[in-house]
């Protein structure tokens, strides 16, 4: 999986991909992350990448030509690359969208700054606009990092054989069950005894129940699209009764 990040601040991306799981994914050749400095595609002497908005108003707008040239260069190498513009005006990112993106082989991520990009960039070069949440960042760079992190961990082999995305929150539209590790007793707070029982069936049932309980209490909106068995529905009824 290849990511090309178009940005005015390539240095922002140095350390996040040098640690832990993503660093190993890069080392194994499963993911490739390249930053492309939009400024290198400005053709005037001063390498100008932004200008004042037509019609007046505050701030600066990123110019169309340098971005156009940068995207065209990547597309000349790989016409199948899918181009995403990170913006609070985009479609909200969720796990379903992350999964869809992980099936693509090459993403171009355009990071906006200032008052955003000239509208013609969006009309002519962008396949999809994505927001990582209803708040405004100083630029698309952190949003691009979030997207790359979430998508990369779904690329086969990146998480390694001992980990899996199958138990993730949202994997089956439920939040994850609680996890514990040693010690079994921390200042009088004990790990639920079922987890120490060695009874795998009882443990599975407890985990399912806790995932359902947590989702019911924290994110009831998720339950309407989750795939629930008859047993799940019964458990939910019990949980609802207790919390009335
Ligand atoms: N750029 C600025 N804010 C953003 C957000 N919330 N999501 C994606 N890109 C952004």
């Amino acid at each position: 999986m290849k990511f090309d990040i178009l940005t005015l601040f390539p240095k922002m991306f140095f350390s996040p991909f040098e640690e832990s799981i993503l660093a190993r994914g890069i080392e194994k050749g499963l993911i490739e992350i390249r930053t492309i400095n939009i400024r290198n595609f400005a053709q005037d002497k001063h390498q100008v990448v932004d200008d004042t908005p037509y019609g007046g108003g505050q701030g600066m707008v990123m110019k169309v030509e340098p971005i156009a040239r940068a995207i065209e260069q990547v597309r000349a190498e790989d016409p199948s690359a899918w181009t995403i513009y990170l913006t609070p005006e985009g479609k909200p990112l969720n796990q379903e969208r992350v999964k869809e993106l992980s099936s693509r082989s090459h993403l171009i991520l355009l990071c906006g700054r200032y008052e955003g990009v000239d509208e013609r960039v969006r009309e002519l070069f962008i396949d999809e606009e994505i927001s990582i949440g209803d708040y405004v960042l100083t630029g698309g760079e952190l949003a691009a990092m979030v997207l790359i992190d979430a998508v990369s961990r779904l690329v086969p082999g990146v998480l390694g054989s001992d980990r899996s995305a199958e138990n993730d929150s949202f994997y089956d539209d439920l939040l994850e069950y609680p996890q514990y590790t040693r010690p079994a007793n921390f200042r009088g707070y004990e790990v639920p005894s079922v987890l120490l029982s060695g009874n795998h069936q009882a443990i599975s049932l407890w985990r399912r129940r806790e995932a359902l309980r947590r989702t019911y209490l924290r994110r009831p909106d998720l339950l309407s699209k989750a795939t629930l068995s008859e047993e799940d529905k019964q458990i939910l009824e019990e949980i609802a009764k207790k919390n009335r």
Side-chain angles (χ1 to χ4, degrees):
M1 176 103 198
K2 219 165 160 176
F3 298 94
D4 275 316
I5 307 160
L6 270 53
T7 174
L8 290 174
F9 302 98
K11 275 196 293 192
M12 279 184 78
F13 291 88
F14 285 175
S15 61
F17 305 129
E18 285 171 3
E19 303 284 350
S20 184
I21 293 169
L22 292 197
R24 265 181 280 131
I26 292 168
E27 221 176 80
K28 285 196 257 178
L30 300 169
I31 38 185
E32 192 181 323
I33 302 171
R34 188 167 64 162
T35 54
I36 296 172
N37 192 335
I38 296 167
R39 199 171 295 281
N40 295 342
F41 292 83
Q43 285 182 331
D44 60 301
K45 198 171 84 192
H46 299 289
Q47 292 193 295
V48 174
V49 290
D50 57 347
D51 205 339
T52 53
Y54 275 124
Q58 283 192 335
M60 300 293 269
V61 176
M62 286 172 73
K63 289 164 70 64
V64 60
E65 303 104 310
I67 296 172
R69 284 187 212 105
I71 292 175
E72 280 165 347
Q73 177 176 300
V74 180
R75 283 187 179 161
E77 291 167 16
D78 178 6
S80 77
W82 182 253
T83 309
I84 295 171
Y85 174 46
L86 285 314
T87 165
E89 290 153 29
K91 255 192 282 168
L93 187 64
N94 57 28
Q95 192 63 18
E96 194 182 338
R97 205 65 217 100
V98 166
K99 210 160 143 189
E100 283 167 13
L101 292 173
S102 73
S103 69
R104 295 197 173 268
S105 59
H106 191 172
L107 300 180
I108 301 173
L109 303 173
L110 173 61
C111 305
R113 281 271 153 177
Y114 319 120
E115 302 305 313
V117 296
D118 186 304
E119 189 66 19
R120 290 164 292 186
V121 170
R122 300 163 83 156
E123 283 170 13
L124 299 174
F125 297 98
I126 300 302
D127 295 312
E128 181 174 10
E129 300 193 1
I130 290 183
S131 162
I132 64 159
D134 289 342
Y135 40 80
V136 181
L137 303 167
T138 53
E141 282 78 6
L142 285 167
M145 288 180 218
V146 167
L147 188 150
I148 291 171
D149 189 290
V151 170
S152 293
R153 61 192 289 289
L154 297 190
V155 172
V158 168
L159 284 186
S161 56
D162 59 331
R163 288 155 180 260
S164 137
E166 279 166 31
N167 286 330
D168 285 352
S169 288
F170 309 117
Y171 179 81
D172 54 4
D173 291 309
L174 292 181
L175 300 185
E176 218 183 318
Y177 53 78
Q179 295 275 23
Y180 297 88
T181 187
R182 276 177 277 271
N185 184 329
F186 172 69
R187 299 178 185 172
Y189 287 83
E190 291 190 358
V191 171
S193 57
V194 61
L195 298 177
L196 312 177
S197 69
N199 181 340
H200 296 295
Q201 205 184 342
I203 292 171
S204 289
L205 186 64
W206 181 87
R207 286 182 164 166
R208 186 72 183 172
R209 190 184 298 272
E210 291 307 309
L212 288 163
R213 186 202 314 283
R214 190 163 271 193
T215 310
Y216 176 87
L217 293 173
R218 298 184 184 189
R219 290 293 306 275
D221 56 299
L222 295 176
L223 289 172
S224 57
K225 58 176 181 156
T227 315
L228 301 173
S229 67
E230 281 311 309
E231 196 180 359
D232 289 335
K233 288 178 194 163
Q234 238 170 18
I235 294 171
L236 276 171
E237 258 175 51
E238 283 167 33
I239 295 168
K241 242 187 244 166
K242 272 190 203 152
N243 288 282
R244 246 178 229 141

